[in-house]
Amino acid sequence: MTAAAAENHAFEADVARLLHMMVHSVYSDKDVFLRELVSNAADACEKLRYEAIANPALLGDDANSRITITLDPDLNRIVLEDNGVGMSREEMIEALGTIARSGTRAFMERITASQASEGAQLIGQFGVGFYSSFMVAEQVDVISRRAGTDEAWIWSSDGKGSYTVAEADLSDAPKRGTRITLNLSEEAKDYTSRWTVERIVKQQSGHVPVPITLIEKPGAEPAEITDGSALWTKSKSEISETEYADFYRSVSGQYDDPALTVHFRAEGRHEYTTLAFVPGAQPFDMFDPDRKGRMKLYVKRVFITDDAELLPRYLRFVRGLVDTSDLPLNVSREMIQESPILSAIRKGVTNRILSSLEKMAENEADKFKTLWDNFGAVLKEGIYEDFEKKAQLLALSRFRTTTSGDSYRTLADYVKDAKEGQSAIYYITGGNLDQLKASPQLEGFRARGIEVLLLSDSIDAFWVMNAPEFEGKSLKSITQGGADLAQFAKTDAPKDESEAESADKAGALADLIAFAKEKLADAVADVRSSERLTESAVCLVASEGGYDRQMEKILQGAGQLPSAAKPVLELNPDHSMVRAIAAQASDAAFREDAVHLLLDQARVLDGDKPSDPRAFAERLQRVFERASRA
Ligand code: ADP
Ligand code: MG
């Protein structure tokens, strides 16, 4: 059959690992292999249509794209054929012997980090392309002929470490495109059943823009099972919820239901149609460092690219497409980047998506809460990056606060319930919500019934630096500068002391503070009496100006801040321990140990370590010894 001897190639190491997992996967939903192969076939057809814009001869007398699935129950086989662009020998080796695409690479990285059993779950979520055929097949043969060439190649593998490539007879090959034959394993026999395959294809691939034909067994009458019409060209009233959801799944590669569907046609100066979805669950690549979007650009129903950045990066979780008739079909990459038409479209689509989100926030609060759980951290990047949309995004944002419990609060809620005379919106940032809730810096705010935003996403430390105000109130970190809390009464006021008593204590405290300032001068910028503490003895805050504590840590961690500014140590004047230390004015050695230990305690409360563990242990020991002698 082959015109030349087959060459043997080993798979790239990652592919071999992936295949091993595919074959041994206990994951029950093996149906995904069909979706993956159909989507590759459709991509190949779309690539050909795109190449044919510059080179119409490629289409020859066979201009209509099609995908044909032929079943063969007797031989336990399923064959998928497309008349798309096909692959040359080099393309085959590159595409089917290595891990070419970013999704598969991301998948492998996830797998390395997790258990194999979870890996099996992930296969279903990711699909992972062509290689998923080895979940059902013992042997896969791919014959392909690149459009416009007169040679064909056959790639074969049993998925166990290597594959062969050989030249194929033209008479055995499709005239153009690719034929994939899966020799199914015994357990996968059901995939030769017409009903099974028809159901799966309709469900998973019902809206790929290439018609799909099914042949029940060799020689049987072909039957078209999907018509390849572009769903987005129909009017909204003709499209059912289920059709939207199916389309969403095929365009996003996800399995959930969309949380939000935005379908509209812009007319007037620019003409384009958008069909976009906010996923119901987080896509796997949301926090990839390249922060790429996945909106596809079509021109007059021809797929052009998914690289046109049709949405700002903070909307990169949105999946879908824009189809416009305003651009020429042969639009180049450079043109795409500079096109004023595209920038107008980008603006229009962005506005529409934001206003749909606003509507949802208003009318379907519960749904929006879930959406915010999934994508809030990404949306907030826009507060930092998109000056024009900053106010809109701030209003859309949801926050955990000291009073929110498990629900969310908006800044409008916050401002409405702010204290008389309160000019700031207070916040604290940090890596973890529970830790934030336990921060000593919050105590004074709690005691006065002042709400504080608890910001625990990593992006928060950034946008707060340039968001800065909402309805006339500026945002203020409670771990930085003075707390200005004296003007607000505590909800449970402390019991009265005689004036003489409190003057005495104030004197002793001032004395202790002066002492601490001198002894800790290398480590802190200042020591002062705190308004923000009620239960804890001490806390650290940043000086006014510069960064707040959290931002300082992030920058230091990233090596961006060689010499951190010294923090301010605050002492709780009402705390029994602070008072007891203040009262021990005569024992200087004890006092020195005590103020160092107070500083270390503040560091620990801040999530850090004592700066000198050995000195810390020795001081602690001396203080214990002194206490046991007393
Ligand atoms: P992806 O589709 O995300 O690139 P796959 O693993 O599904 O990843 O496919 C790998 C590559 O193999 C494709 O990018 C494409 O270059 C090539 N390929 C797979 N199937 C076909 C096909 N039917 N026609 C042409 N090329 C194909
Ligand atoms: Mg694919």
Side-chain angles (χ1 to χ4, degrees), residues 36 40-41 43-44 47 82 86-87 95-96 101 128-130 178 180:
E36 295 299 326
N40 287 347
D43 288 351
K47 266 186 227 163
D82 64 71
M87 285 174 276
L96 309 183
R101 72 166 183 173
V128 277
F130 170 77
T178 304
I180 301 182

Side-chain angles (χ1 to χ4, degrees), residues 143-194:
I143 300 190
S144 194
R145 178 166 168 182
R146 184 76 164 84
T149 70
D150 46 17
E151 48 185 59
W153 293 87
I154 174 163
W155 178 103
S156 304
S157 179
D158 60 2
K160 298 198 179 103
S162 68
Y163 60 92
T164 59
V165 177
E167 189 157 11
D169 253 356
L170 282 184
S171 59
D172 284 336
K175 284 216 175 61
R176 176 185 74 218
T178 304
R179 180 192 304 142
I180 301 182
T181 304
L182 306 185
N183 293 287
L184 298 170
S185 66
E186 217 24 62
E187 308 87 80
K189 205 166 176 46
D190 201 34
Y191 294 111
T192 59
S193 140
R194 170 186 166 185

Side-chain angles (χ1 to χ4, degrees), residues 443 533 535-539 570-573 575 577-578 598 601 605:
E443 293 166 3
L533 295 173
E535 286 142 47
S536 302
V538 288
C539 71
E570 290 196 351
L571 305 182
N572 179 351
H575 196 279
M577 179 173 72
V578 174
L598 285 175
Q601 187 183 353
L605 284 168

Side-chain angles (χ1 to χ4, degrees), residues 594-629:
V595 296
H596 275 103
L597 286 172
L598 285 175
L599 173 59
D600 280 335
Q601 187 183 353
R603 288 189 174 121
V604 170
L605 284 168
D606 227 27
D608 294 332
K609 286 189 201 145
S611 61
D612 180 348
R614 188 176 180 93
F616 168 77
E618 286 168 2
R619 290 205 162 95
L620 200 58
Q621 188 179 331
R622 282 199 295 270
V623 170
F624 281 149
E625 280 169 2
R626 182 180 189 272
S628 57
R629 277 200 307 273

